[in-house]
Amino acid sequence: MKGTVWQRCTRCRRKVNGGKARASHKASGCDAKAATWAFKIDLGRDVDGTRRQALRGGFASEADAERELRTMLGKVEGGRYIEPTKRTLGNYLIEDWLTATAPPRVVESTYAKRKLHVNTYVVPRIGSVPLSDVSGARLDHLYAALIREGGRNGRPLSASSVRGVHATLNKAFADARRWRLIERNPCEEADPPRLERVAEDARAALHAWTAGQLSQFLESTRHSRYGTAFYVAATTGMRRSELCGLAWPDVDLDSARLRVAQKLVKGPDGYELRRATKTSAGARTLSIDGATVDVLRDHHKCQLELQPVFGEAYNSDHLVFPREDGSPPSPEGVSMAFRRAVTRSGLPRIRFHDLRHTHATILLQAPVISTRPVRKGGLTRMFAL
């Protein structure tokens, strides 16, 4: 295996070192004076006999070209050389990586998040860049642009979301390196937003109602379709997916307890009930206060009265907050109903997830406001605060 180093014109790319080369360059009519150094390595022949070569140029000195030539020869001889791919980053991410890592290789929620990152934040901005040319500096520029204007309608994108994009790209480039498409993972050279910035953004985005505001909201929605779901969310801190997947066999009203053991999550064909939780912390038993027990008893009674209307067509998933026919609810529908209810109430706007923050905030404040006990998992004294 051998390599050749030569000096070439920056305009016409002809060889210019050596008497015959300079004369040939001058005879071509090119009058450019600037030149750089380049090298070429013979990589052998393909199976069809085509000669393969690696060419690198743009070196300021002969010594620089010789040094890089020796490095590349070492990689080739050691089997570590990877020929640059002509694929763009967008082609690789969409056609190769997402296809190869689709469910069941990963859970549907992880795949959906990766698709969002790729199609919304990465490909529109740097998707046309060759995969081999992506650098840590280019990724840093991407992250800065996303933080500045990557959100909806040109608003800033949160540091947490940008770190999520970085995590997706890190996995994609790690796989490209493992598949011998690139020599290095550029994410190792990039600087995503620091965790301190993520924490600052989280604190800035945190919204919670006071106990009085929560009481006003729950009173205004007590007779609405999802009023009981809002109530249970506020008094237990359960997530939307957990509420939508809560089933009566996991609720023990006599013991004032409920078990979070099932979630309604996105699947390949829409939402599906998933019994297994992603983390051990997800499956847990919560104590509920007497007021919540009474609300759930009334809710169950009304639900049982409605079932005969549908007869055999009633879904038998035994969900606590189903549609009228017993089928799983629409999580987006629950959030939409919550937003409309907040607007009608005239209270400060918060997200459905912020009921969880409100729950935690009131529990933290309760011991300071009163010495009377607050039962774990419930807000018995919430309306008195």
Side-chain angles (χ1 to χ4, degrees):
M1 185 155 313
K2 59 182 180 179
T4 306
V5 176
W6 74 95
Q7 193 176 29
R8 64 181 183 178
C9 173
T10 56
R11 181 187 297 173
C12 67
R13 304 297 187 186
R14 286 186 172 86
K15 182 177 179 181
V16 295
N17 58 315
K20 290 185 178 179
R22 283 194 294 271
S24 176
H25 177 252
K26 184 176 181 180
S28 71
C30 179
D31 58 357
K33 304 297 183 182
T36 57
W37 289 85
F39 70 81
K40 183 189 300 181
I41 294 178
D42 191 352
L43 299 175
R45 295 183 182 276
D46 284 329
V47 292
D48 61 357
T50 304
R51 190 179 182 185
R52 295 168 53 235
Q53 293 181 323
L55 174 66
R56 298 288 187 276
F59 297 96
S61 67
E62 184 178 10
D64 290 341
E66 290 278 5
R67 188 181 306 110
E68 184 61 26
L69 170 63
R70 289 193 297 272
T71 299
M72 185 171 290
L73 282 173
K75 290 180 179 179
V76 173
E77 292 170 355
R80 293 176 287 108
Y81 173 70
I82 299 175
E83 291 189 62
T85 176
K86 296 181 180 180
R87 296 186 69 74
T88 65
L89 176 61
N91 292 148
Y92 165 69
L93 290 175
I94 295 174
E95 298 174 11
D96 297 339
W97 185 65
L98 284 177
T99 301
T101 59
R105 291 289 301 277
V106 297
V107 298
E108 190 68 32
S109 58
T110 298
Y111 183 67
K113 185 173 293 186
R114 288 176 175 178
K115 282 184 64 177
L116 171 68
H117 292 163
V118 167
N119 294 324
T120 304
Y121 303 124
V122 179
V123 171
R125 293 175 180 271
I126 61 172
S128 61
V129 177
L131 177 63
S132 303
D133 291 350
V134 179
S135 63
R138 192 181 291 274
L139 293 180
D140 284 344
H141 283 295
L142 170 66
Y143 301 155
L146 292 176
I147 289 177
R148 184 175 60 252
E149 58 185 11
R152 188 173 299 175
N153 298 324
R155 292 195 294 266
L157 191 65
S158 71
S160 176
S161 295
V162 176
R163 283 188 69 90
V165 173
H166 174 75
T168 293
L169 287 175
N170 187 42
K171 173 58 177 170
F173 284 123
D175 286 341
R177 185 177 182 180
R178 182 165 56 86
W179 297 338
R180 296 186 61 79
L181 296 176
I182 56 176
E183 289 189 14
R184 76 197 194 293
N185 180 348
C187 283
E188 296 175 358
E189 306 163 2
D191 294 313
R194 295 172 299 153
L195 289 174
E196 293 85 348
R197 172 68 181 273
V198 174
E200 291 172 3
D201 285 359
R203 285 192 293 270
L206 184 63
H207 300 288
W209 281 332
T210 64
Q213 289 172 328
L214 179 58
S215 174
Q216 178 183 336
F217 175 77
L218 295 180
E219 179 63 26
S220 68
T221 59
R222 62 185 301 184
H223 298 300
S224 66
R225 176 182 175 186
Y226 291 113
T228 304
F230 300 156
Y231 192 99
V232 175
T235 59
T236 64
M238 292 174 66
R239 299 175 178 87
R240 186 185 71 173
S241 61
E242 296 168 343
L243 279 167
C244 292
L246 183 63
W248 286 114
D250 295 318
V251 179
D252 188 345
L253 296 178
D254 294 331
S255 299
R257 292 178 180 276
L258 62 83
R259 178 169 173 75
V260 180
Q262 180 173 261
K263 296 191 293 185
L264 187 65
V265 298
K266 266 190 175 179
D269 301 315
Y271 282 96
E272 61 184 31
L273 293 168
R274 186 168 298 166
R275 194 74 180 173
T277 53
K278 188 173 182 179
T279 64
S280 58
R284 62 198 187 279
T285 299
L286 301 176
S287 298
I288 52 179
D289 60 28
T292 304
V293 169
D294 292 340
V295 168
L296 282 171
R297 285 191 191 280
D298 291 341
H299 178 73
H300 195 204
K301 180 180 177 182
C302 293
Q303 193 173 341
L304 291 175
E305 293 174 351
L306 184 62
Q307 289 184 17
V309 176
F310 292 89
E312 295 182 357
Y314 191 82
N315 187 286
S316 58
D317 285 325
H318 307 293
L319 296 178
V320 176
F321 304 114
R323 300 176 191 263
E324 289 86 347
D325 63 355
S327 61
S330 163
E332 286 86 358
V334 173
S335 293
M336 188 177 299
F338 178 78
R339 289 194 294 269
R340 288 197 296 261
V342 172
T343 300
R344 287 193 299 268
S345 71
L347 292 166
R349 292 192 176 186
I350 66 172
R351 304 166 302 166
F352 183 86
H353 187 74
D354 292 325
L355 285 178
R356 182 173 167 83
H357 300 156
T358 299
H359 167 81
T361 300
I362 295 176
L363 282 181
L364 288 172
Q365 292 174 345
V368 178
I369 298 174
S370 172
T371 57
R372 286 183 291 173
V374 176
R375 295 185 63 181
K376 184 179 179 182
L379 303 178
T380 305
R381 294 179 43 261
M382 153 176 81
F383 301 116
L385 299 182

